[in-house]
Amino acid sequence: MLPVSQAEAIILDLVQPLNEERDGEVVTLLTAIERILAAPVVSQLDFPHWDNSAMDGYAVRYEDVKHCSAEQPASLEIVEEIPAGRSPQHLLQRGQAARILTGAVMPAGADTVVMQEQTRREGNRVLIFASPEPQAFVRHQASFYQAGKPLLPTGIMLQATQLAVLAAAQCNHVTVYRRPRVAIISTGDELVTPDQLLQPGQLVDSNQYALAALVAQTGAEPLHMGIIPDRPQALKKAIARAIATADVVLSSGGVSVGDYDYVEQILQSLGAEIHVRAVGVKPGKPLTVAKFSASATANQKSVLYFGLPGNPVSALVSFWRFVQPALKKLSGLAHSWGPVFVQARSRHDLRSDGKRETYLWGQLYLVDGNYEFHLAAGSHSSGNLINLAQTNGLAILPIGKTLIPTGEQVKVLQVGSPAICPA
């Protein structure tokens, strides 16, 4: 039974990120949200594209206004008005000014902008009542970015700010990594789909839906493989089909030591190398992690296999702790693969037997800039899916720690956005 940190390190070492040349695809800017950039972006445009005004006011020559004051204002001839989007028509000469609006191109000869609050217009002349700083309110061409230099690096997730930069740079198409394909298999004779009438002893397969949602939220493409009964040949056929089409396979159930737990022996018969068999974590101890080399798969690429526990809470905790970081690394994301941990003040006594690293689920709140953890009410059984609803944090009790009292700090694995403090 491996410690959690060792299991995590083994799993991340097994992950080979998608390849830029083999796994890149071109998408339009409008469909690029939350995709991972597979090639660096370089623009042929300077930012700003030209010298422009950062203020509504008057473009002037600094030499004409450097000594002016409220008592001795400078009087300049207004030779033109330059709104945003219009090219200047005059070369500014000594004693001249141009009315200019925010974002408009600076006219040749001007080097400074005087904000309009420090001026008064009188016909075709303007009075300047305060001496500005040299270059005041001028945004110089290429001061934000110089054409030909790297604009956005590979391996970043494209969010709104990056898309705005790409649009401004006139990059209508970008190269991103394809979405990793994740096959999801549920195992067990007792499982039925939500639309079936339950018979005594049967359970609805909730794992298929929860894991598919988590896979999609991570940016990968879930492939639903359905429910496979506890029969070795059927399971072997399903796993073989999954590794032929997916980059990662997730199965739930069949990885413990029961009479009908066949996953590990089937993986070995198909040529996989087992790297993890159990982890010192509660819930989620039975975790099988294996890798198929490229030579063992029909599509000649390596495939990572996660055999998750069948109990719903155990399956989800295992995903959050081990699978999600692996999918992030696989996706081509350059960094920030790992789980996000925060320190929070517990609003309840947190207990464990101290034998394994224990995860207790609940709600994480942000209160006056500090995190608080509220333990979910009810039984913290790995089979109790009901009180897992609305979970956004997992409080962690390390090995040997049997109690974290109310009011003490606790390490929390963040699995969702913190909520607003409850009333």
Side-chain angles (χ1 to χ4, degrees):
M1 190 166 61
L2 297 174
V4 171
S5 58
Q6 185 178 347
E8 179 185 43
I10 290 172
I11 290 166
L12 289 177
D13 282 345
L14 291 172
V15 177
Q16 184 65 42
L18 296 177
N19 179 271
E20 176 183 328
E21 294 182 3
R22 185 184 65 238
D23 299 307
E25 61 184 26
V26 177
V27 298
T28 66
L29 202 55
L30 288 175
T31 60
I33 183 67
E34 295 191 340
R35 300 299 297 271
I36 308 299
L37 198 59
V41 176
V42 174
S43 176
Q44 300 309 309
L45 296 174
D46 288 328
F47 287 85
H49 309 319
W50 42 74
D51 290 356
N52 70 90
S53 175
M55 188 69 64
D56 291 345
Y58 292 87
V60 300
R61 299 167 68 253
Y62 177 70
E63 286 296 318
D64 291 338
V65 296
K66 66 179 180 180
H67 296 306
C68 67
S69 65
E71 294 75 23
Q72 292 184 315
S75 177
L76 305 176
E77 179 191 6
I78 302 171
V79 296
E80 69 172 318
E81 181 169 313
I82 314 170
R86 182 184 300 174
S87 296
Q89 302 299 310
H90 291 81
L91 168 65
L92 224 61
Q93 305 289 345
R94 181 177 179 181
Q96 294 181 335
R99 170 66 171 154
I100 195 166
L101 301 178
T102 302
V105 180
M106 289 288 290
D111 57 17
T112 300
V113 173
V114 179
M115 59 193 300
Q116 66 183 31
E117 290 84 352
Q118 295 175 340
T119 69
R120 185 174 74 233
R121 183 166 182 166
E122 295 182 348
N124 69 337
R125 302 194 70 83
V126 61
L127 298 179
I128 310 295
F129 293 102
S131 176
E133 294 292 324
Q135 311 289 321
F137 303 118
V138 177
R139 295 185 289 219
H140 292 284
Q141 181 174 347
S143 60
F144 302 161
Y145 168 81
Q146 186 176 354
K149 291 187 175 181
L151 181 64
L152 292 177
T154 187
I156 63 170
M157 180 178 287
L158 297 176
Q159 301 282 17
T161 51
Q162 289 86 2
L163 293 178
V165 169
L166 291 168
Q170 295 187 313
C171 296
N172 295 316
H173 295 80
V174 288
T175 302
V176 298
Y177 290 108
R178 65 172 176 82
R179 298 186 187 278
R181 293 182 290 271
V182 182
I184 303 171
I185 300 172
S186 299
T187 71
D189 290 338
E190 75 280 14
L191 298 179
V192 296
T193 58
D195 58 336
Q196 290 181 265
L197 183 65
L198 277 178
Q199 301 298 325
Q202 292 184 327
L203 296 171
V204 174
D205 174 23
S206 61
N207 286 348
Q208 185 87 201
Y209 298 86
L211 292 174
L214 290 172
V215 165
Q217 288 172 2
T218 308
E221 178 188 355
L223 307 176
H224 295 272
M225 307 295 287
I227 299 169
I228 308 301
D230 289 323
R231 290 191 286 276
Q233 287 305 313
L235 187 54
K236 183 175 183 178
K237 182 178 179 180
I239 292 175
R241 186 170 73 252
I243 64 175
T245 57
D247 303 290
V248 174
V249 180
L250 305 181
S251 67
S252 59
V255 292
S256 192
V257 292
D259 293 343
Y260 298 96
D261 294 330
Y262 303 117
V263 169
E264 185 173 322
Q265 65 189 60
I266 290 172
L267 293 176
Q268 291 175 321
S269 71
L270 290 171
E273 181 178 357
I274 310 294
H275 293 270
V276 176
R277 288 181 166 85
V279 182
V281 63
K282 182 180 181 180
K285 174 185 172 182
L287 174 67
T288 297
V289 181
K291 188 169 186 178
F292 291 90
S293 65
S295 60
T297 63
N299 52 13
Q300 295 297 295
K301 62 180 179 62
S302 61
V303 175
L304 195 58
Y305 189 101
F306 290 90
L308 306 178
N311 281 326
V313 177
S314 300
L316 268 64
V317 170
S318 296
F319 183 96
W320 282 319
R321 189 62 185 88
F322 301 111
V323 180
Q324 186 168 273
L327 290 182
K328 287 183 177 181
K329 182 178 180 181
L330 174 65
S331 72
L333 198 64
H335 50 75
S336 301
W337 313 317
V340 176
F341 299 103
V342 299
Q343 290 292 323
R345 184 171 69 93
S346 178
R347 295 293 298 269
H348 303 85
D349 287 347
L350 306 177
R351 301 179 184 277
S352 84
D353 61 13
K355 296 178 182 178
R356 287 179 275 161
E357 186 169 298
T358 300
Y359 290 66
L360 300 175
W361 48 98
Q363 289 77 49
L364 190 64
Y365 292 96
L366 193 57
V367 183
D368 296 329
N370 298 304
Y371 289 108
E372 289 188 357
F373 177 76
H374 294 226
L375 185 68
S379 167
H380 276 246
S381 160
S382 61
N384 182 12
L385 180 62
I386 301 305
N387 70 343
L388 195 67
Q390 302 183 67
T391 289
N392 63 3
L394 303 173
I396 304 171
L397 278 72
I399 294 174
K401 190 78 169 179
T402 58
L403 171 65
I404 295 179
T406 301
E408 294 288 322
Q409 293 289 307
V410 62
K411 184 179 179 181
V412 179
L413 170 60
Q414 188 174 322
V415 299
S417 299
I420 300 172
C421 179

